[in-house]
Amino acid sequence: MNIDTDDYDGEWFYRFKSLPSDTPFAITYPNFSMLTSRYDGDVKSLYNFLLSKVDVIKKLPAHKETTGLSSDKISTRWDKYNLFNTFANKELDKLKKHVIMNYSKYCFRCGVSPEKIMIHAWYNVIEHGDCISEHAHEYGTMSYLSANVYLGGDDGNEPSSTRYLIMNRDENLYMRNRDGDLTIFPSYVPHATSVYTGTTPRVSIGINIFPARYYSMYNENEEHEWMKYVYTP
């Protein structure tokens, strides 16, 4: 399935329903939904601001990445800071409010009540020939919601897109990226980017959203160092 966000204006919501299993031993996944909305702030200003801060992020220690990127990429520092707490920038503040508002919309569309949440955010900068390989942000009982925000890069030979694996349908959704797109999806969903063919850097923001009630469970786990940077609205 291919989605071009030029085909809608404002907000797009899709619910992926599970297919019936052929056997009681088949692996099944729950229904899930995706919400994409357009951030109406100064996306270009935020794009340029984050590019100007790459050297600051690169001073943080890198770790072995699971997305196929080398240690010179700032994506490998994702757990060493929180973008919404690290830099003072009015566009980041505005984007943070946009994320919180659309989290509430997502809950409403799914028929559940919004919770008090924790937000952890970082950003990714990739160059010509790079891609972020397939990965998921969280599996298991602690899985909740994730999101990404596409801030820009030129199209190059092929438009930049993000691929989501719709596991309960064994189907891929290819979403063409447009500047300012915020997409919210369940954290267990595997996703990846296309190989980037542009000549200017491709910049995006990664986000994890968790209920605040998870704090003590995560904070007691030494593997989750990012907890010290979490933002609680």
Side-chain angles (χ1 to χ4, degrees):
M1 181 187 304
N2 292 286
I3 296 292
D4 190 332
T5 59
D6 283 331
D7 295 337
Y8 74 91
D9 184 25
E11 184 181 304
W12 176 84
F13 184 81
Y14 195 93
R15 186 184 303 278
F16 294 89
K17 298 180 179 179
S18 294
L19 298 177
S21 300
D22 294 331
T23 166
F25 305 113
I27 297 175
T28 59
Y29 297 92
N31 296 351
F32 74 85
S33 305
M34 297 179 72
L35 173 70
T36 293
S37 65
R38 183 66 34 73
Y39 171 61
D40 62 358
D42 190 342
V43 176
K44 189 64 176 178
S45 170
L46 185 53
Y47 172 91
N48 290 330
F49 175 79
L50 293 181
L51 281 181
S52 75
K53 298 299 182 181
V54 167
D55 288 343
V56 175
I57 300 301
K58 281 190 174 182
K59 292 178 181 178
L60 301 173
H63 70 277
K64 185 177 181 181
E65 186 52 67
T66 58
T67 56
L69 295 173
S70 59
S71 60
D72 65 321
K73 303 297 180 182
I74 64 170
S75 298
T76 62
R77 282 85 171 167
W78 73 271
D79 60 341
K80 300 300 188 297
Y81 71 106
N82 189 339
L83 184 57
F84 289 145
N85 291 346
T86 301
F87 302 119
N89 179 277
K90 65 179 182 179
E91 288 300 327
L92 281 174
D93 290 340
K94 186 175 179 180
L95 178 60
K96 181 168 58 182
K97 294 176 182 177
H98 183 72
V99 171
I100 295 168
M101 178 183 69
N102 280 278
Y103 161 71
S104 294
K105 284 184 178 180
Y106 184 97
C107 291
F108 175 78
R109 293 294 192 96
C110 294
V112 299
S113 298
E115 297 195 41
K116 186 175 180 61
I117 54 175
M118 306 181 293
I119 300 175
H120 181 231
W122 62 96
Y123 71 108
N124 309 289
V125 178
I126 62 176
E127 311 282 348
H128 181 91
D130 290 336
C131 70
I132 298 176
S133 59
E134 185 174 296
H135 66 287
H137 290 191
E138 186 71 37
Y139 287 108
T141 57
M142 304 293 278
S143 181
Y144 196 63
L145 294 174
S146 293
N148 58 59
V149 183
Y150 182 76
L151 295 180
D154 63 63
D155 278 350
N157 297 322
E158 294 289 337
S160 176
S161 64
T162 302
R163 174 178 62 84
Y164 299 89
L165 175 59
I166 314 305
M167 295 183 295
N168 58 338
R169 299 182 64 86
D170 192 24
E171 180 180 5
N172 283 307
L173 182 151
Y174 295 87
M175 182 174 290
R176 180 180 176 181
N177 303 128
R178 189 166 71 166
D179 297 1
D181 278 350
L182 163 71
T183 302
I184 300 177
F185 55 94
S187 296
Y188 62 78
V189 174
H191 53 288
T193 71
S194 58
V195 175
Y196 185 55
T197 61
T199 56
T200 60
R202 179 192 187 279
V203 180
S204 64
I205 296 174
I207 299 170
N208 281 329
I209 300 171
F210 297 100
R213 56 188 166 87
Y214 283 13
Y215 181 84
S216 60
M217 291 181 284
Y218 270 117
N219 198 41
E220 292 169 359
N221 189 328
E222 295 180 359
E223 295 181 2
H224 295 107
E225 294 183 4
W226 55 265
M227 279 301 305
K228 68 182 73 171
Y229 310 112
V230 76
Y231 167 78
T232 303

